[in-house]
Every structure is written in C-alpha cells, then in structure tokens.
Amino acid sequence: MANEEDDPIIQEIDVYLARSLLEKLYLFQYPIRPSSMTYDDVMHLSAKIKPKQQKVELEMAIDTLNPNYCRSKGEQIALNVDGTCTDETNTYSSKLMDKQTFCSTQAASNFSRYAAAIYRKGELHLTPLHGILQLRPSFTYLDKADAKHREREAANEGGDSSQDEAEDDVKQITVRFSRPESEQARKRRVQSYEFLQKRQAEEHWVHLNYYGLRDSRSEHERQYLFSQSHGMAENTELIKSPSEYLMMLMPPSIEEENDKPVAPSNVLSMAQLRTLPLADQIKILMKNVKVMPFANLMSLMGPGIDSTAVLRCIQQVAMLVQGNWVVKSDVLYPKDTSSPHSGVPAEVLCRGRDFVMWKFTQDRWVVRKEVATVTKLCPEDVKDFLEHMSVARINKGWEFLLPYDEDFVKKHPDVVQRQYMLWTGIQAKLEKVYNLLKEHMAPKKHEAQSAHPLVVSGEQRVNMAKAKVKQNYGQLEKDLQKQKAESKPNDASPKMDISNIRIKEEPVSDEEPMDTSAYESMNNGVVNGIHSEASSTDSLNGHLPGGCMDGVAQELKAFVLTTFKKQFVLTLSELKRLFYLHLASLPPGHMFSGISDKMLQDMVLDTGCKQILVPFPPQTAASPDELKVYALWEAGDVYDQHRQVLLEIFSKNYRVRRNVIQNQLSQNLNKQEVDRVLKDCCVSYGGMWYLKGTVQS
C-alpha cells in the first residue's frame, strides 16, 4: 500500500484495438543509417514480396554525388557485373553502382505478441503485427560477376583450342534406373533442405509500389492505424478483466509439435535443442557427433539433468566402445534407406558398420583392407564407417578417434557389464553372417599402439590374484560351511556333500565351455572396458552357491522352456546368442552371468529337449556349437507326435526333399498341417529342407 501511495496514477489512457490493417501490417527493420540521414533521404526504386514466405526485397538508390562515394570503385563493380555490353538485362544501366538491394529475414519466430501503437488526443490505438522482417544487404551481384568471369574464361579457352580438340570425345556413361519411391522416402525428400529451397524458388515475386513518408497515399493508409469505431460495444476484445487482457496481449509461448524438428536434418541452436525431450536431444547430438565421451555429453545437457536419465537414453542410440559412446548403426542408416555410394540396403550397411565397431572393442587399430575383405562392401562405404569413429595414420591403419575413457569404466561398471553382454551377442551374429576365421577374431599387435589400459607385469598379476584370494577366502569359507550344514540333514549320502563343493575343476564332459579367449587376450585382459576378473561372478567353474542354485535353476529353466516353445529347434550357437541377449536385458549383477556352457546344455536336456544327431557332411565348415542341435520333444500340443517323426527323419538325413516328408506325414495330416510342422522345425533352401540353423552356405 505504501508503494502505491508513493506512485500515484497521473493519467488514464483509453486503449483501442484497430482491425483495419489486421494481417497486413509488417514491421521492417533497416540497417543502421548515418544519423544525418532521414527517411526522406532514402529513395526506394522498387520493392517485391513473396507472400507465402513473407520475404521482401527492396532496391534503394545510392547517393553517387556524396563525397564519401568512390566513383571509380562503383564503375569497376558495374563493369564486373554487367560487362561491356549494354542491354535490358544489365543490373546497373548507368554503368555505375547506383543502387543496393536489401533482402529480408524473419526477426522473430513468434511475433503474435507485438503490436504497432499510435497515440492521439489521449487515446492509444494498437494494431497487431503480422510479421517482423529485418532487411539486410544482398550481394547477389557478386555471384553474377563471378558467373561472367567464368564465362569469359571458358570462351577464351574454347577459342584457343584446335579443331581436333573441339571434336566431341566419346565418353562412357553409366545408366541407372531409379527404384519406386516408398512413402517414407518421399516424406524424407519433402522435408529435405533441397526440396524446401526448390519450393521457395518456385514462388513468384509480387511487385509493389513504394510511397514516401509524406505522400498523400501514405497519409491515407496511416489513418487505418486508428480504430474506426470508438464504441466499446464493438471492441468486445477489450471488455475483459486485466488478467484476461494481459493474456490476450502477451499469450504464452506454445510451440506446436510440427514445428519441432524430429531429426537433425536442419541446424539447431543449443537453446532450441534443449526444448526437445531428453531422448531426442541425445539422439540428435549422437547422430551429428558420431563419437563422444560421456563427460562431454553431460556438459552439453541443460542444468539439472540427471546423469542416470542420460545413461538410460544414451544406451538406446549408442554403443560403448573403448569407454566412449558411438552412435548405433541403425540410427545412421534407418530402415528402407540405402548407401549413397553403392545403393546397398541399410541392413547390409548396419551389419558392416557393426563389424567395424566390434573390431574397435578389441583393438585401437583397424585395417581398412581387412574390413573390406570381410564385409564385401565398396571402399567408399568402408571409408565412411571408419571416418565416423577413427582417424587414418600413415603406414599404420585407422586408430580409434578418442582415448580410452577409464574414468567412465570405473564409475559405471554395471553399464559396462551390460554393454559387454550386448557386444557378445553381436559377435555371435557377426561370426555366423561373415563366417569369421580366427585371424579375424584375434586382435592385431601394433608396435606404436598406445593402449590406454595400464600394462601389468606377471609379478603384479600374481600379487593381485593373491590379494583377491585373501579377500574372498573368508566369504568362501562361510559359504562352504553353510552348504555342508544344509546338505547333511537332507541327504545321508556323503557323495552329495562332495558334489556340491566344486572349486576350479575342469569340465567333465566333452562339451567345451563358452569361448571367451578372443576377449581375454586383448588390452591385458580388458574387453571393452571390462576386466576378465571383474566380469566373472562368485560362481566357481559355472556352479553357483547352493543357496542361490534353486532360484537361478528355476529361472534358467523357464528361459530355456520359453525359448524352445517359440523356436522348437535350436543349435547351441543360436541358443547362446539368445541367452546373451536375454542376459543383457537383465539388471546388473544378476546371477545368470555365472552360467557356463555345460550348465546351459544340461538345463536344455532337463526341460525335455533332446539332442538331434544330424549327419552333417564331412566337409562342413560349421563350428562345434553349430553342430549341436537340440529340439523340444514334447510341447504339449497335437503336433508333438508329428514333430517327433520329422526329427527322426533328420536324425538320419542332413537334408530332405519335401515329397519324402510329405509321404511320412500326409497319412494323418493335410497340406496346411504339414506346412505348420515344417515351419516349426525346418527351413527351405535351394529346394531342400533343413533343420533350423543347420544350413551351410
């Protein structure tokens, strides 16, 4: 109240809303003029506008008699632009640069809150603005001068050439036929910068007449800035409460969804980027940067952004390589796109780029020739992959772009473990697709390689192992006593007590454990930021402590049973790949990470599956895991008996013709039911039928 008394109201002014120039009134912002120049001094020669784009071009005369005007320079510019010829197309008809063009740009994205006001006789009249345009000098005449210069050079070169050189040379051309454009490709083309530029160029200019400040027509138009009716009954917009009036005058900024860029095809400022959802911000940044440390990513996020939320989003669009984040291949190459160099579909490009990323998880160096040999892609595509995440070194190869980020690996071991499992699944897929040999799997040695992980000597390794044993000895002793106490009242056989305690024993069957040698040999035991000691759990030789065994066994059994009810037939290699993907989706520290190859095979047999001894050809190049084929013997449906007959056929034959299968199953099944049984267990290739996963290309 005291402040209101100190600041009394001196005068009340009536405010009117003028509608005569609604959606017609624009505000032009001119460049700064000399203080001595007024609007009367500005001579407008012509004006034109593109209404849809709200783009304006003005031509203003230059005072060539001004002592500050350099006449020789003006003549030189006119000569460069128009040449020596005189015709109607000349930009400067007076052979002198006597005018200048100004082109408009949008000064504000939201101008609905601005109005032009005029005060007269105690009344304030407001007219809403339809646009705010900034006029800036246009230098298109320089482009015209460059074009003239190139034409003169081409003419001179053509005149000096002989008749023999003028003859047309026979050139080989490549004819390409464009494929039908999909709906998604059409939408991307419509949103592209080139298409928008073309549409803007197609709009015709509308020429305008310019009237000076003191012209009678200007005086007449200026009257429309005043409200034509002072009666409050007709100005219903102003019969509002003060808060409603302010809301109308200054509406809240609401950005429509269609104005928000959904992809980084256009340039965004950081302020615009931070208005997008967090997941979109990270996707746009990674798609443009390709490779980024997590610390740099956090520095680009707005204040108050939780690092946990950023970690959750970054894993959706990027993969961890050398402790840094590299954008996923399917983000750069979406579905239904193709290579701009070779036309290869996006699926093949993603597979090739994943191979490059995977090679960098093993080594800091990659050889371009090796990538091209394995992926069978053109050199331009391979070069694009490598330039995304590495830099070329003369006589050495391609080195990963960023140094190993040890800080991130130490701070986020759970994320590193999850990424390791994902890469293990990708590795299994790449091995199957590319038929990778051992030389492709093992990392290469480089004399000048600067591996960031510390080099640990043999003595240091022994000391570290001893310290770890001492640290875990007490806990292992407690677990052992607990197992003995639990097993004694439940089973009188001393044999079971011994079998529950398995400390570092070798596998007792012919099945080999899951092969991780390719990862253990790199970076002194570091696999994509994971130390082999840290990547294992407290399980001993794949056997979990007795207290956890029952829960883990039940969960593992549920996974195996669910998987086989979907697939019916799986090779051990494919089952391991699915298991790795399932393991990557589980929370960090899950006990599944201690499951060995032997335990997984035992659980498959315990769930009612049987191993099918498929007679593979002697010259097969399949791995041992691909030679082990398991099938669900009883699924509990009406087709169990028929699937068993089919599996018996494949236990005697590597591949079978359909008529043989048809003769065996057609006695009790019709054609549709036979197709159902074949779809559950088999695949067709080259006119023959094989069990799933056993086709050798």
Side-chain angles (χ1 to χ4, degrees):
M1 294 296 294
N3 293 336
E4 292 182 359
E5 292 177 358
D6 295 341
D7 190 13
I9 297 174
I10 299 176
Q11 182 183 3
E12 292 187 358
I13 301 175
D14 294 332
V15 180
Y16 296 93
L17 182 64
R19 286 180 162 275
S20 300
L21 297 179
L22 194 64
E23 298 185 358
K24 299 178 182 178
L25 187 62
Y26 290 86
L27 174 64
F28 288 179
Q29 296 178 344
Y30 288 85
I32 299 176
R33 304 184 312 278
S35 58
S36 60
M37 184 180 294
T38 64
Y39 281 105
D40 294 336
D41 299 325
V42 179
M43 181 178 179
H44 293 71
L45 300 179
S46 65
K48 54 185 178 180
I49 185 173
K50 288 186 177 183
K52 293 182 180 179
Q53 304 176 35
Q54 294 189 357
K55 184 176 181 180
V56 176
E57 275 194 8
L58 297 180
E59 282 189 357
M60 297 185 181
I62 298 178
D63 184 9
T64 58
L65 301 179
N66 192 294
N68 295 324
Y69 180 80
C70 180
R71 191 174 185 86
S72 61
K73 192 67 175 178
E75 292 175 351
Q76 183 63 44
I77 292 175
L79 179 63
N80 293 340
V81 173
D82 298 328
T84 57
C85 300
T86 303
D87 52 31
E88 296 179 354
T89 61
N90 284 1
T91 304
Y92 305 110
S93 57
S94 64
K95 298 297 182 180
L96 190 67
M97 185 181 177
D98 54 358
K99 59 184 177 181
Q100 187 174 12
T101 303
F102 291 85
C103 187
S104 68
T105 58
Q106 288 284 353
S109 58
N110 184 10
F111 46 78
S112 59
R113 60 180 62 187
Y114 297 98
I118 188 169
Y119 181 77
R120 183 182 68 176
K121 297 180 181 179
E123 297 174 350
L124 184 65
H125 297 259
L126 300 178
T127 302
L129 292 177
H130 190 57
I132 302 176
L133 304 178
Q134 287 184 348
L135 293 171
R136 299 179 180 180
S138 175
F139 301 99
T140 54
Y141 61 88
L142 296 178
D143 298 333
K144 189 175 180 181
D146 291 340
K148 290 275 188 181
H149 179 68
R150 286 193 295 269
E151 289 177 1
R152 287 193 294 268
E153 287 186 346
N156 293 335
E157 292 177 358
D160 296 338
S161 62
S162 62
Q163 293 181 356
D164 294 337
E165 293 175 345
E167 295 179 357
D168 293 334
D169 295 332
V170 178
K171 295 183 179 180
Q172 182 180 1
I173 61 173
T174 303
V175 179
R176 295 184 179 180
F177 298 93
S178 61
R179 68 182 72 181
E181 187 178 35
S182 63
E183 183 63 21
Q184 292 182 350
R186 189 191 68 81
K187 290 181 179 180
R188 285 193 297 271
R189 180 176 60 81
V190 170
Q191 295 176 356
S192 65
Y193 177 77
E194 291 80 8
F195 183 83
L196 294 177
Q197 288 290 97
K198 183 179 179 182
R199 286 189 59 183
Q200 291 178 3
E202 289 176 351
E203 185 179 358
H204 296 290
W205 288 101
V206 177
H207 290 272
L208 306 175
N209 294 324
Y210 177 79
Y211 296 95
L213 181 65
R214 306 191 187 283
D215 192 276
S216 59
R217 181 64 183 271
S218 298
E219 292 287 349
H220 176 74
E221 293 291 335
R222 197 176 299 118
Q223 296 302 315
Y224 289 116
L225 294 174
F226 298 98
S227 177
Q228 302 301 313
S229 176
H230 293 188
M232 293 299 293
E234 297 186 10
N235 287 275
T236 56
E237 288 82 358
L238 299 183
I239 308 178
K240 304 286 185 181
S241 64
S243 59
E244 292 175 335
Y245 170 68
L246 288 175
M247 184 64 67
M248 292 176 59
L249 190 63
M250 298 286 290
S253 178
I254 302 176
E255 297 188 11
E256 299 179 1
E257 292 185 1
N258 56 5
D259 290 336
K260 293 183 179 180
V262 295
S265 59
N266 54 344
V267 178
L268 291 177
S269 66
M270 289 304 298
Q272 291 173 316
L273 184 66
R274 289 175 180 174
T275 61
L276 301 177
L278 181 61
D280 291 342
Q281 294 184 43
I282 295 176
K283 182 177 181 180
I284 291 174
L285 285 172
M286 292 305 303
K287 192 172 181 179
N288 282 275
V289 180
K290 308 292 190 303
V291 185
M292 187 184 300
F294 185 73
N296 290 12
L297 179 62
M298 287 300 301
S299 66
L300 295 175
M301 296 293 100
I305 299 296
D306 184 19
S307 61
T308 304
V310 177
L311 273 175
R312 187 166 51 250
C313 294
I314 189 65
Q315 295 181 69
Q316 304 299 320
V317 297
M319 296 289 292
L320 194 66
V321 178
Q322 300 278 345
N324 302 280
W325 291 100
V326 181
V327 64
K328 287 184 176 179
S329 301
D330 54 4
V331 176
L332 291 180
Y333 304 108
K335 191 177 180 182
D336 297 330
T337 60
S338 59
S339 167
H341 305 295
S342 59
V344 172
E347 181 182 0
V348 180
L349 292 176
C350 291
R351 199 159 54 221
R353 187 174 181 275
D354 286 344
F355 176 74
V356 175
M357 294 171 62
W358 171 74
K359 290 292 289 183
F360 276 119
T361 63
Q362 298 186 85
D363 203 340
R364 287 196 58 82
W365 297 84
V366 167
V367 179
R368 177 177 172 179
K369 184 178 180 181
E370 177 188 352
V371 175
T373 302
V374 173
T375 61
K376 303 295 191 298
L377 292 173
C378 71
E380 290 79 8
D381 289 331
V382 175
K383 185 178 180 182
D384 284 349
F385 299 158
L386 294 170
E387 287 178 343
H388 289 169
M389 62 194 84
S390 59
V391 59
R393 305 294 187 192
I394 300 176
N395 298 329
K396 294 182 180 179
W398 292 77
E399 184 184 13
F400 191 68
L401 192 61
L402 299 177
Y404 178 81
D405 193 349
E406 191 172 1
D407 292 338
F408 179 84
V409 173
K410 290 181 178 179
K411 291 180 181 178
H412 305 281
D414 53 338
V415 177
V416 175
Q417 176 71 17
R418 184 184 298 267
Q419 290 290 312
Y420 166 70
M421 293 303 172
L422 287 174
W423 277 119
T424 306
I426 293 175
Q427 176 194 353
K429 183 178 179 181
L430 293 174
E431 289 178 6
K432 187 173 183 180
V433 171
Y434 291 131
N435 295 324
L436 297 180
L437 303 176
K438 289 186 177 181
E439 56 265 25
H440 296 142
M441 308 297 297
K444 290 181 169 51
K445 302 296 182 180
H446 291 268
E447 296 179 0
Q449 178 178 352
S450 58
H452 190 277
L454 298 177
V455 177
V456 182
S457 65
E459 183 179 357
Q460 289 175 322
R461 288 172 182 261
V462 173
N463 294 335
M464 291 169 61
K466 289 181 179 180
K468 187 173 182 180
V469 169
K470 291 180 180 180
Q471 181 180 359
N472 296 335
Y473 179 77
Q475 183 64 34
L476 292 173
E477 185 70 23
K478 292 180 181 179
D479 291 342
L480 180 61
Q481 296 299 332
K482 185 177 180 181
Q483 292 178 27
K484 288 182 178 180
E486 291 178 352
S487 60
K488 283 181 180 180
N490 296 332
D491 195 345
S493 175
K495 184 178 180 180
M496 295 303 298
D497 293 336
I498 298 174
S499 62
N500 283 338
I501 306 171
R502 301 187 180 185
I503 302 178
K504 200 60 180 178
E505 63 180 20
E506 297 298 327
V508 296
S509 64
D510 295 335
E511 292 87 353
E512 62 280 348
M514 294 183 184
D515 185 14
T516 58
S517 60
Y519 295 97
E520 293 172 356
S521 62
M522 65 176 234
N523 286 339
N524 299 318
V526 177
V527 183
N528 196 24
I530 302 178
H531 288 273
S532 58
E533 295 88 353
S535 63
S536 63
T537 62
D538 292 335
S539 61
L540 304 175
N541 196 31
H543 298 278
L544 300 171
C548 303
M549 187 61 186
D550 293 339
V552 174
Q554 292 177 2
E555 192 171 348
L556 179 60
K557 184 176 182 179
F559 163 76
V560 172
L561 195 57
T562 302
T563 303
F564 272 94
K565 282 187 175 181
K566 293 180 180 179
Q567 306 289 340
F568 289 100
V569 177
L570 287 170
T571 62
L572 179 60
S573 175
E574 180 66 11
L575 178 61
K576 287 164 62 176
R577 187 184 71 83
L578 296 175
F579 179 70
Y580 285 138
L581 295 177
H582 175 69
L583 185 59
S585 65
L586 297 175
H590 197 278
M591 294 301 294
F592 266 8
S593 58
I595 301 299
S596 68
D597 190 352
K598 181 179 181 302
M599 293 179 64
L600 185 61
Q601 296 179 71
D602 292 343
M603 185 57 68
V604 170
L605 299 177
D606 291 343
T607 54
C609 299
K610 289 188 177 182
Q611 183 173 359
I612 309 301
L613 301 178
V614 179
F616 285 89
Q619 68 275 15
T620 180
S623 64
D625 287 347
E626 293 176 333
L627 296 177
K628 297 175 183 177
V629 183
Y630 296 93
L632 183 61
W633 198 250
E634 294 182 356
D637 57 19
V638 296
Y639 297 103
D640 279 346
Q641 181 180 357
H642 308 294
R643 277 192 290 265
Q644 293 170 10
V645 173
L646 182 62
L647 295 174
E648 289 290 347
I649 295 175
F650 279 100
S651 65
K652 302 175 183 178
N653 302 276
Y654 170 60
R655 56 185 180 181
V656 184
R657 294 189 179 276
R658 181 186 174 91
N659 58 353
V660 177
I661 301 173
Q662 191 86 23
N663 294 336
Q664 294 284 343
L665 300 179
S666 60
Q667 299 177 0
N668 301 319
L669 300 177
N670 56 34
K671 183 178 182 301
Q672 289 76 15
E673 291 173 332
V674 171
D675 291 340
R676 162 71 185 276
V677 174
L678 286 173
K679 183 179 179 182
D680 289 342
C681 304
C682 304
V683 293
S684 176
Y685 182 78
M688 304 293 288
W689 287 86
Y690 303 77
L691 280 183
K692 289 181 178 178
T694 63
V695 179
Q696 301 295 321
S697 57

